[in-house]
């Protein structure tokens, strides 16, 4: 009789997020658009969004790094369990060529990732974080990598048409991250992202 093979999936071990300081509440749209706070909340659930200020293209990278640090700390990443894969999901125009190698290098210099970790970017719009998570999970399940940091970040506030009520109320800036590792399906903390 054959032994049943134990299935494995990716488990989320830690999460993190980083937001800009500047807040843009719905009430600020009432004076310049044909809208109200109630109209926006009813259709989107959004009360306030965060936006980056200034022209520094590195501000989004700073948010990515902060979210990744929080995720690594939340996952209690240690020297013996450093992530060896970094996947970044962003379609922000100022991030045209991607930040994953830079983020991986910065995390390695802080002792939060393996030096020379595999790092790449995915461009998938609104579902980018999910695509990054599934992609990282497949790398883990294949045995090619042991632990991954995935980051989703966007900064569309500089590109939004603030006179277009149908879209401007939807967008804000920020970054989120998660640490994934392989775990037996059904084990404590297993997610099953793959």
């Amino acid at each position: 009789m054959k032994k049943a093979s134990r299935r494995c999936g990716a488990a989320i071990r830690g999460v993190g997020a980083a937001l800009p300081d500047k807040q843009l509440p719905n009430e600020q749209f009432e004076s310049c658009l044909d809208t109200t706070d109630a109209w926006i909340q009813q259709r989107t659930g959004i009360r306030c969004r965060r936006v980056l200020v200034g022209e520094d293209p590195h501000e989004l990278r700073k948010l990515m790094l902060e979210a990744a640090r929080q995720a690594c700390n939340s996952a209690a990443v240690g020297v013996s369990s450093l992530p060896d894969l970094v996947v970044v999901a962003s379609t922000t125009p100022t991030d045209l060529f991607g930040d994953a190698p830079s983020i991986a290098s910065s995390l390695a210099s802080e002792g939060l990732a393996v030096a020379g970790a595999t790092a790449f970017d995915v461009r998938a719009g609104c579902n980018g974080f999910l695509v990054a998570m599934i992609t990282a999970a497949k790398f883990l399940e294949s045995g090619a990598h042991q632990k991954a940091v995935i980051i989703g970040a966007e900064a569309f506030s500089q590109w939004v048409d603030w006179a277009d009520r149908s879209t401007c109320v939807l967008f804000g800036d920020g970054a989120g991250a998660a640490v994934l590792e392989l775990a037996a399906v059904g084990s404590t903390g297993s997610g099953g992202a793959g």
Side-chain angles (χ1 to χ4, degrees):
M1 191 166 189
K2 283 186 178 181
K3 268 188 160 179
S5 62
R6 189 161 194 187
R7 290 187 46 225
C8 292
I12 298 172
R13 297 299 188 202
V15 295
L19 297 170
D21 292 330
K22 182 175 173 56
Q23 295 186 31
L24 184 59
N26 292 341
E27 291 83 9
Q28 287 191 301
F29 291 110
E30 292 177 352
S31 63
C32 58
L33 294 174
D34 180 24
T35 194
T36 64
D37 174 51
W39 185 91
I40 296 169
Q41 282 192 53
Q42 179 184 20
R43 286 158 180 78
T44 68
I46 299 170
R47 292 187 177 115
C48 185
R49 72 243 355 101
R50 300 292 184 105
V51 295
L52 288 169
V53 292
E55 300 293 323
D56 184 0
H58 302 292
E59 288 302 312
L60 182 60
R61 183 177 298 139
K62 291 174 187 174
L63 292 179
M64 289 182 202
L65 276 169
E66 179 55 31
R69 282 185 199 106
Q70 288 181 20
C72 288
N73 290 333
S74 172
V77 167
V79 175
S80 63
S81 64
L82 294 175
D84 57 351
L85 175 64
V86 177
V87 184
V88 174
S90 180
T91 54
T92 297
T94 55
D95 188 41
L96 183 61
F97 297 108
D99 276 321
S102 172
I103 298 293
S105 177
S106 294
L107 291 174
S109 72
E110 295 178 25
L112 296 173
V114 170
T118 301
F120 59 91
D121 295 86
V122 296
R123 304 232 178 257
C126 295
N127 63 344
F129 190 81
L130 180 60
V131 170
M133 181 179 286
I134 292 168
T135 302
K138 294 304 177 187
F139 272 94
L140 296 174
E141 291 168 13
S142 76
H145 295 280
Q146 304 304 307
K147 191 173 283 192
V149 176
I150 58 170
I151 303 164
E154 299 295 357
F156 284 121
S157 63
Q158 297 173 5
W159 307 96
V160 168
D161 177 359
W162 291 104
D164 179 4
R165 177 180 80 160
S166 66
T167 59
C168 72
V169 299
L170 299 174
F171 294 100
D173 304 333
V179 172
L180 302 179
E181 71 178 348
L182 202 59
V185 172
S187 68
T188 303
S190 69

